[in-house]
Amino acid sequence: MMTDALSAYLLCICWYLYEESTEPLKLHYRPRSHLNVGSWSLEQYSDVYCREHFRFIKDDLHRLAMLLRLPEMLRLEDGPQIPRMEGLCVTLYRLAYPGRFKEMKFVFQRPLRDLSRIVKKMVALVSAKWSCKMSWNDNLLLPTYLETCAQAVSRRLLQDGFSLQDQQPDIALFIDTAFRPTATTPIVAQEEVFSTRTHVHDSKFIGVCSPDGLMVALRGPYPAASGEKKALEESNILPDLREKCRGVNNRQLVAYSDKGYSQFDVIQIPHIGQLTANQREENRAMASVRMVIERSFGHTTTLFPFNDYRENLKLLLSSQVHIYYYVSTFFANLHTCFYGSECSRYFDLEPPSVEEYLS
């Protein structure tokens, strides 16, 4: 009798496990006729949901779609027309979490093929229209803005108990290198993309950040195996710093970096060699404020972890791998303009409005 009851109990458990294991298959392979195509609307979501999944609240999403000057309808090749708000939210949802299109199709009520093409279309469109904001934002990096940045850095150092020497050039920006993970084949491009620093396959980007947390210049990608000096030469960032990183009365301002870079007339690095007590104190103080560039890189991957998921970034299968990172950084800058960032609060420096940033 006990054996029969135990057998029945085990049979129930097995049936339950079978149902649990097949439920995802039933969900993912639901027929297309079950999709209510074209029924998606942003208004059905709360601001909490929008902030979590799209990174912006509803009103700011509407404002963003207008300011980005996106077309009212996006025409897909051999496919339907998509409203711009839906296209923007599909792209932000995809970048905000490395989820699968099979899960997204029930959120947006679109077939997989359309979702993939929407993301590619939007990323290419945003990159084509606004790549100038990531190369060097001339309309933002004016002498008055750079002077404000230099004053914010000096003020923060003073609050930390250290003031820069009068003869030392003013530091307005920060520069560093970011390594982004990529997937490659075991045969092609191994040596070029393998980083001896991280011991994985990476692409290298050079970023310039302001104290308010905005990534004001982003260059790359460059082979992970190349040195910092070669990447700097290829990026042409030094001529831009010499020509455009100037304050009021054409005063030359500089960017600060870590010991991975060499000393240049427009790039300041920590003191090395036999150090005096004052130089050690200066290195300590500058190490604290230099973290703004690390936080800015981290802000992008925190908001849009798609760029940190290696399996999505296949170099030989997509020419848009680096474009995803540019567009994600651009959206992270817009997020900073809307809501501020840890960096802007640390330096007590209000970022520009989104209108000023996109002007």
Side-chain angles (χ1 to χ4, degrees), residues 157-193:
L157 288 171
L158 192 60
Q159 292 175 0
D160 292 342
F162 184 86
S163 61
L164 295 173
Q165 301 295 327
D166 293 337
Q167 66 272 17
Q168 190 172 17
D170 285 328
I171 296 168
L173 303 173
F174 300 88
I175 184 171
D176 202 1
T177 301
F179 291 87
R180 302 295 350 124
T182 56
T184 184
T185 69
I187 299 176
V188 183
Q190 285 286 307
E191 295 182 357
E192 294 183 4
V193 299

Side-chain angles (χ1 to χ4, degrees), residues 47-331:
D47 280 339
V48 175
Y49 182 94
C50 291
R51 186 72 182 268
E52 181 179 356
H53 293 87
F54 308 134
R55 302 312 191 201
F56 301 88
I57 63 175
K58 278 192 292 188
D59 289 344
D60 292 338
L61 283 169
H62 287 291
R63 186 177 165 196
L64 193 59
M66 180 184 64
L67 290 173
L68 291 179
R69 299 199 290 272
L70 300 174
E72 290 286 345
M73 302 295 293
L74 304 176
R75 179 179 293 276
L76 305 180
E77 295 181 4
D78 301 327
Q81 290 188 346
I82 308 296
R84 67 179 180 184
M85 180 54 66
E86 184 176 354
L88 178 62
C89 289
V90 167
T91 304
L92 291 171
Y93 189 100
R94 175 67 167 164
L95 295 176
Y97 183 74
R100 298 188 297 174
F101 284 124
K102 288 183 179 180
E103 299 168 357
M104 291 175 59
K105 73 177 184 178
F106 298 112
V107 176
F108 295 97
Q109 295 295 306
R110 293 280 180 185
L112 304 182
R113 185 167 177 261
D114 287 353
L115 290 172
S116 177
R117 290 187 297 170
I118 288 171
V119 174
K120 291 181 180 179
K121 179 80 172 180
M122 282 294 300
V123 166
L125 185 62
V126 172
S127 176
K129 279 182 173 291
W130 301 102
S131 60
C132 58
K133 298 299 180 183
M134 297 310 305
S135 177
W136 186 275
N137 198 333
D138 290 307
N139 292 333
L140 178 66
L141 297 175
L142 300 174
T144 52
Y145 176 82
L146 291 171
E147 283 284 359
T148 303
C149 291
Q151 293 170 8
V153 174
S154 299
R155 183 171 61 248
R156 183 69 232 188
L157 288 171
L158 192 60
Q159 292 175 0
D160 292 342
F162 184 86
S163 61
L164 295 173
Q165 301 295 327
D166 293 337
Q167 66 272 17
Q168 190 172 17
D170 285 328
I171 296 168
L173 303 173
F174 300 88
I175 184 171
D176 202 1
T177 301
F179 291 87
R180 302 295 350 124
T182 56
T184 184
T185 69
I187 299 176
V188 183
Q190 285 286 307
E191 295 182 357
E192 294 183 4
V193 299
F194 184 77
S195 170
T196 56
R197 175 177 172 180
T198 59
H199 300 289
V200 291
H201 296 98
D202 285 327
S203 292
K204 180 187 295 185
F205 292 84
I206 294 178
V208 179
C209 175
S210 56
D212 53 15
L214 292 178
M215 190 68 69
V216 296
L218 187 66
R219 307 287 171 86
Y222 306 105
S226 64
E228 307 291 356
K229 184 177 180 180
K230 183 178 180 181
L232 269 178
E233 292 175 355
E234 295 179 0
S235 68
N236 289 323
I237 200 74
L238 289 176
D240 282 341
L241 287 172
R242 293 188 180 103
E243 179 184 353
K244 302 175 181 179
C245 188
R246 294 183 176 271
V248 178
N249 298 325
N250 206 34
R251 185 167 65 99
Q252 181 69 68
L253 302 174
V254 303
Y256 190 84
S257 184
D258 58 11
K259 296 178 182 179
Y261 282 76
S262 301
Q263 179 84 23
F264 292 94
D265 55 330
V266 288
I267 295 182
Q268 186 79 13
I269 65 172
H271 298 288
I272 57 178
Q274 295 292 332
L275 305 181
T276 65
N278 188 64
Q279 288 175 331
R280 284 194 295 270
E281 181 65 18
E282 181 180 336
N283 283 354
R284 183 201 62 78
M286 290 305 303
S288 299
V289 298
R290 196 199 66 82
M291 290 304 294
V292 62
I293 183 70
E294 306 290 352
R295 291 169 181 166
S296 187
F297 281 130
H299 185 58
T300 299
T301 53
T302 299
L303 285 175
F304 304 109
F306 175 90
N307 299 277
D308 230 11
Y309 186 58
R310 185 182 305 277
E311 297 304 318
N312 282 335
L313 308 173
K314 299 177 176 65
L315 282 176
L316 301 182
L317 296 182
S318 174
S319 60
Q320 286 190 313
V321 168
H322 69 282
I323 300 179
Y324 283 117
Y325 187 60
Y326 272 92
V327 171
S328 297
T329 305
F330 174 69
F331 280 129

